[in-house]
Amino acid sequence: MYVPWPLPGENWFDDASDQPEPDHEDLRIEALVAQRLSSDWTTRSQQIVVAVQNRVVILLGLVSDTNARQVAGELTWDVPGVFDVCNTLRLVGQRRGRR
């Protein structure tokens, strides 16, 4: 007997019609922030992920120094329509905390 195994993030029991459509303004802001970060020489080679929800931009990933972290936040604030910025970028090699 063959039983299919779902992949992570794949839920066969959820109805896709229940999922809210992403806001077009959030998608526009996400694209503009990503474009700004990829065009600036300070943030171009950094590992930055951009997520936007309700016009709040969340910056995730790793950067090489504090200057790159600061510049990423400033470039994000300059994008029209951004309501808030949550800069969670971490420095490469930085520990999360003691256990």
Side-chain angles (χ1 to χ4, degrees):
M1 177 179 203
Y2 173 74
V3 179
W5 194 265
L7 297 171
E10 185 178 51
N11 192 347
W12 295 342
F13 304 107
D14 280 349
D15 184 14
S17 63
D18 292 342
Q19 301 297 325
E21 287 288 322
D23 186 15
H24 294 292
E25 181 67 11
D26 287 348
L27 294 174
R28 184 190 71 77
I29 291 171
E30 184 175 332
L32 287 173
V33 170
Q35 181 182 22
R36 285 233 173 132
L37 294 177
S38 65
S39 64
D40 188 90
W41 66 273
T42 308
T43 55
R44 177 180 301 151
S45 62
Q46 308 299 323
Q47 300 174 13
I48 301 174
V49 176
V50 178
V52 181
Q53 186 174 16
N54 298 326
R55 298 184 317 153
V56 175
V57 179
I58 304 163
L59 299 176
L60 306 154
L62 299 172
V63 292
S64 59
D65 58 13
T66 56
N67 184 46
R69 184 180 190 276
Q70 181 179 354
V71 168
E74 290 171 357
L75 289 172
T76 302
W77 271 114
D78 287 342
V79 173
V82 171
F83 182 72
D84 199 5
V85 176
C86 180
N87 190 343
T88 63
L89 294 172
R90 294 185 303 131
L91 299 178
V92 174
Q94 182 181 27
R95 292 184 160 196
R96 285 194 160 186
R98 296 182 186 173
R99 291 184 183 200

